[in-house]
Each structure stands twice: as C-alpha cells, then as structure tokens.
C-alpha cells in the first residue's frame, strides 16, 4: 500500500468513496484530476471556514473606512483583524474602524421574536458614536434561519442617514466554505461601490486585487510597485477603503494576486469598464520578478521596462547574501503546505529558491481551477450548493467603459505569454509524486505527517499546534504567526529567516509528555494497590 492508500484504508466505505476523489498523488505527464469545492463530511474536523468568514472576515473586513456590523450572536464577532491579520492605517482625515468589532449581540429572545429592531438600534448607535460614511452589515447563521430582512433595514437606514449602508446575506451555512462568502462580498462591492467615483484617469494606473495586507504584505508590494512608477488606484481590500474602491474603474490594469477570492470582481470590471486583468504573484523572488516584468510588458513603455529591471536588480542585491545563507541551512528539507485557496501555489517558488521540496500540499476550499488551471473551468459542473450563491451579470457601462489596448494588441500580448485573463493551477509548479489533499482534515493531516515526515509544516490556526505536538515545526501561512510581511523581496527574506529558525529549533522534540515518564493517575481498586 502507498501512503495514499494507507490513509484512505482507515475510512469506512462511505467516507472512503468521498475522500478518495479528494486525495491524489501527482503523476507528471498525467491529467491529475481532483474533486474540490464540495461539501465537507459532517464531523470530520475540516479546516475550512464559513461563508460569513469569507465575506466579513476576508473581503469586507479590511475596508478601513467602513463600520461593519455583525448581525448575530457575539461569538461570531471574535473573528476580526486580530485573527486574520489585515493591517491598516489611514492617512489624512480618513476614519479607520478596522480595529472595532461591532455586533448586534443576538440573544435567545431576539432569535424568537426577530432581530431587525436590534439591528436598527445598532445602526443608530454606530451613527451616533462613529458617524461613518459607510456601514456594512454581515449576517451570521441564525439571521438566515429566522428570516430577518437585513436589506430592508439597511435601505431604510440609508434613506434616513443619507450614507451608504450595504447588507450582505452571508450566513455561515451558505455554500460549502468561505468561498461562497467571497462571491457574495464581490457582488455587493460591484453593485454598490465600484464605479461610483468620478476621479480622472492617471498614467500607469493599476488596482491590486486579492491582496489583504496580512502582516503588511500589501504595503511591501505597493512600495515596490510605486518604486517602479505605477499609480495604485485601489487595493482590494487590504488597507483598502470605499473611497478608493469607488474609483477602481479608472485604472488601466488590474493585477490579481489571490484569484480565488476576487476573480468575480476582476471579471466584472473587464465586462463593465473594459479593464484587463493580469495574474500576478508577489510571493517569492521568481514570482515577483515575473509579475513585475509581465506588468511592464503590458504597458510596453521603454522607461518603465528599464526601471523595472533596475528595481529588481537593486532589491535582489539587498537580500541575496542573506537569502543564500538561509538556503545553506534549508537545502534538501521537505515541507507540507496547506492554505486556503491560493497561497499554497504562491509559496512554491519561494520554497524552491530556498531548496525546500514540497511533498504534501493542499487547499481548504479551492475550486478545481485553482489546482488544475483555468482551462478546466468549462468542465466544472455547477451543483446545488454553488447555485445557491447568487451570480450577478453586469453590462458595459456606456460612459465609463475604456480599453487600454485594442483587442488585437491584447491578443498579441496573450500570444506572447502574458497571463491576461489566465492562470495556471497548483499542478504547474508542484513536484512529481507530491501528495495533494483537498479540504484536508485533522485525521489525514496527522496520518500523512507520520508517513511523509516533512521537516516543516505550513499550516493554519486550527492545525498548527497538533502539528507542533508531533515534533514538527509549524509556521502559519494565514496570519504569519504575528510576523510578516512575507510578500515582496524583503518579505521573502523575513520568511527565509523565520523558516530557518523554526527548522533549526527543535523545541517540541525536547519536550516529553508527562505520562511517558510517570503515571498521571494513581488509585486503588477493591483494596488492591
Ligand atoms: Fe485568498 Fe487570502 Fe487565500 Fe483567501 Fe483565507 Fe487568507 Fe488563505 Mo487564510 S483571501 S484564498 S479566504 S489568499 S484568510 S489572505 S490565508 S485561507 S490561502
């Protein structure tokens, strides 16, 4: 039996039948097909989050000038900027509400008699205390179950106060993971915010999509882009704001970092305003170099191209000596990488630069195209769960539609290999024979660790300590263990340093469980010791 079969063998026949489609060992040259974006098995201890997490936590949460009210029990409000570390700071007189957690604190009586009055009261209080220019309301599970009409409450309050108040029906149980919540948030921002501004276009302007400034990643990427000479119109949504998002339609190009969470907006911006999008990856030196060169190739200005090469050379020069040192300490190590829906792929080039081989990998909630590449999209069948999430369509805006290049020129750029409206999946970079599991659970994680013995495990919040207890160091790739940034050239160096420290500090191997050396319980039975 190989490792895959050994793990699957422990399941009963029903679970086996489901899970065998989600676990594959990569065979180079074969069509590696994986099942993804389907319901998790109840009780299996999945690492996934919920629809509310994807909408409120991931996409809406980082918008700093928005007062976001969570409509639901207080527990759901624990999930905020402190757990998903989207950093923000505001400039000028822009208000910053990111560090507040506003909740309607639903009680049993509200569940029985309805919570819409409480929601209105929360809006009134928010206005009285903070006076924001925009409020967003996010629903949690019970709201959908009891049927509070949050959209009616929002519309009434919007009329009363004359500010934008958006409501998102992103109840946790909707869809199969946080992925549905991304989609709901994308729809709301596109319908009500993006395109409502009246700023004039500027030269070399871009939006950075799917970058959430975890541990300051977005700041580091923006620093590099500005150094080259780009004007950043908006970032979606790390350290972002409604004020910026309103004018996102004026950018010449959209750079898409996390495709999984924001592809809907990228597509809609193209249809409605004519803005092309380019897939980028600002994690890892090879990824950044390629992304900067692709972006420069899109604009095709000799000055910008020359500046791009100067910046790359200069930034690499600053970090290379130290990177080389860390590589000597990491070369030949193996890793497991499990993140949500895009980072697993993004980190592979960085690990390769450090000589680390990925032997075990996967996603929590990715769709098949995140594994297999965009070409697979037409063959993905919609199921009842995906149909449950609204998919909106937009039309060309007669006044604001503007294209940077002609269609012929775009085709030429695509033919030259520029990833315009295209992306590869995890398969394009992962090693032959790597084990890949979709929607991984705790049981499989523990079993694969025993069988494949990676030197380091890149994981999440739920599984980090389980992994460490087994004696294997773990670095979180969601929140970076309170560190970061990991994006950009300087971020790559931070990452290399912290991984080197983790791998070479076998702290968890030095600890012995107390029950291994002495009994933890003593007693007597029937007079016998
Ligand atoms: Fe995109 Fe993300 Fe990710 Fe994601 Fe996330 Fe995240 Fe993630 Mo945690 S938006 S899909 S829902 S890159 S919070 S910043 S790290 S699971 S791989």
């Amino acid at each position: 039996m190989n490792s895959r079969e050994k793990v699957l063998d422990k399941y009963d026949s029903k679970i086996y039948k489901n899970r065998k489609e989600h676990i594959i060992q990569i065979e180079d040259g074969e069509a590696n097909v994986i099942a993804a974006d389907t319901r998790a098995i109840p009780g299996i201890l999945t690492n996934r989050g919920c629809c509310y997490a994807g909408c409120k936590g991931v996409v809406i949460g980082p918008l700093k000038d928005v007062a976001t009210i969570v409509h639901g029990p207080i527990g759901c409000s624990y999930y905020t900027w402190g757990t998903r570390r989207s950093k923000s700071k505001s400039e000028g007189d822009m208000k910053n509400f990111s560090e507040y957690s506003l909740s309607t604190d639903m009680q049993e009586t509200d569940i029985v008699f309805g919570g819409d009055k409480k929601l209105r009261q929360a809006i009134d209080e928010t206005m009285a205390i903070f006076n924001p220019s925009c409020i967003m309301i996010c629903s949690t599970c019970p709201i959908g179950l009891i049927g509070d009409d949050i959209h009616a409450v929002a519309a009434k309050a919007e009329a009363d106060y004359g500010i934008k108040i958006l409501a998102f029906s992103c109840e946790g149980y909707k869809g199969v993971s946080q992925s549905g919540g991304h989609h709901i948030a994308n729809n709301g921002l596109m319908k009500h915010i993006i395109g409502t501004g009246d700023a004039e276009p500027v030269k070399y302007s871009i939006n950075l999509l799917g970058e959430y400034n975890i541990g300051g990643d977005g700041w580091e990427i923006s620093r590099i882009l500005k150094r080259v000479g780009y004007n950043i119109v908006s970032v979606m949504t790390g350290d972002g704001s409604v004020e910026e998002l309103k004018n996102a339609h004026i950018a010449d190009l959209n750079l898409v970092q996390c495709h999984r969470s924001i592809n809907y907006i990228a597509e809609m911006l193209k249809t409605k305003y004519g803005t092309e999008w380019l897939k980028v990856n600002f994690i890892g030196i090879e990824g950044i170099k390629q992304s900067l060169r692709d972006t420069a190739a899109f604009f095709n200005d000799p000055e910008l191209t020359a500046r791009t090469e100067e910046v790359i050379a200069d930034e690499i020069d600053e970090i290379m000596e130290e990177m080389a040192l860390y590589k000597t300490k990491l070369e030949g190590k193996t890793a497991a990488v499990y993140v949500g829906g895009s980072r697993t792929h993004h980190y592979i080039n960085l690990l390769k630069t450090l000589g680390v081989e990925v032997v075990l990998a996967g996603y929590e909630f990715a769709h098949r195209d995140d594994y297999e590449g965009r070409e697979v999209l037409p063959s993905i069948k919609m199921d009842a769960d995906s149909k449950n999430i609204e998919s909106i369509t937009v039309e060309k805006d007669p006044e604001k539609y503007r294209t940077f290049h002609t269609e012929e020129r775009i085709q030429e750029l695509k033919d030259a290999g520029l990833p315009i409206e295209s992306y590869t999946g995890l398969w394009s970079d992962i090693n032959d024979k790597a084990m890949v599991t979709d929607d991984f659970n705790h049981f499989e994680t523990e079993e694969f660790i025993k069988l494949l013995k990676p030197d380091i495990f890149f994981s999440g919040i739920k599984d980090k300590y389980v992994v460490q207890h087994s004696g294997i160091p773990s670095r979180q790739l969601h929140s970076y263990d309170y560190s970061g940034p990991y994006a950009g050239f300087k971020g790559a160096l931070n990452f290399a340093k912290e991984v080197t420290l983790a791998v070479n500090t076998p702290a968890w191997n030095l600890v012995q469980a107390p029950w291994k050396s002495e009994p933890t319980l003593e007693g007597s039975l029937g007079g016998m010791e």
Side-chain angles (χ1 to χ4, degrees), residues 3-62:
S3 312
R4 176 179 177 274
E5 286 155 6
K6 276 185 195 158
V7 172
L8 284 168
D9 190 51
K10 305 249 173 65
Y11 285 135
D12 71 23
S13 62
K14 203 171 153 204
I15 296 177
Y16 172 85
K17 211 170 140 224
N18 176 311
R19 290 302 299 161
K20 76 179 189 353
E21 308 293 331
H22 294 264
I23 306 179
I24 67 166
Q25 185 160 25
I26 296 294
E27 287 293 341
D28 267 1
E30 297 292 316
N32 295 290
V33 177
I34 196 162
D37 191 32
T38 60
R39 285 183 192 195
I41 297 168
I44 204 163
L45 290 184
T46 167
N47 280 273
R48 281 175 170 177
C50 65
C51 180
Y52 156 80
C55 180
K56 194 272 176 188
V58 174
V59 181
I60 300 301

Side-chain angles (χ1 to χ4, degrees), residues 273-312:
Y273 302 109
T275 330
E276 298 292 342
W277 61 268
L278 192 69
K279 177 72 184 84
V280 289
N281 176 19
F282 288 104
I283 302 284
I285 293 163
E286 296 309 312
I288 313 165
K289 281 200 298 202
Q290 189 67 48
S291 301
L292 290 176
R293 285 177 180 150
D294 286 346
T295 311
F298 178 88
F299 286 98
N300 195 26
D301 175 302
E303 220 175 284
L304 208 58
T305 309
R307 183 73 188 138
T308 300
E309 293 308 322
E310 266 172 43
V311 170
I312 291 175

Side-chain angles (χ1 to χ4, degrees), residues 58 79 84 178 182 212 214 258 260-261 339-344 364-365 477-478:
V58 174
Y79 184 60
R84 191 215 186 219
Q178 50 267 67
H182 300 148
Y212 300 95
I214 310 298
C258 167
R260 179 69 275 134
S261 61
V339 209
S342 75
R343 290 193 171 179
T344 305
E364 288 172 24
F365 54 81
L477 277 196
H478 297 257

Side-chain angles (χ1 to χ4, degrees), residues 405-421:
H405 286 306
T406 60
E407 261 176 54
E408 295 73 48
R409 179 73 188 128
I410 290 293
Q411 196 50 52
E412 275 171 29
L413 291 171
K414 283 183 182 170
D415 294 344
L418 234 59
I420 297 175
E421 275 187 281

Side-chain angles (χ1 to χ4, degrees), residues 368-377 423-427:
R368 270 183 64 203
D369 51 312
D370 302 308
Y371 293 100
E372 300 173 44
R374 188 172 166 90
E375 328 58 88
V376 82
L377 278 181
Y423 48 88
T424 57
L426 179 62
W427 289 183

Side-chain angles (χ1 to χ4, degrees), residues 24 34 59 78 109 115 121 143 165 208 232 234 244 252 254 314 349 365 369 398 402 435 442 445 472 515 524:
I24 67 166
I34 196 162
V59 181
Y78 177 77
T109 45
Q121 194 192 337
I143 306 310
I165 304 189
L208 183 55
I232 301 171
S234 76
E244 285 174 3
D252 295 328
N254 290 326
D314 190 43
N349 84 82
F365 54 81
D369 51 312
R402 190 175 65 92
M435 193 69 69
H442 284 203
T445 306
I472 291 171
W515 58 87
S524 57

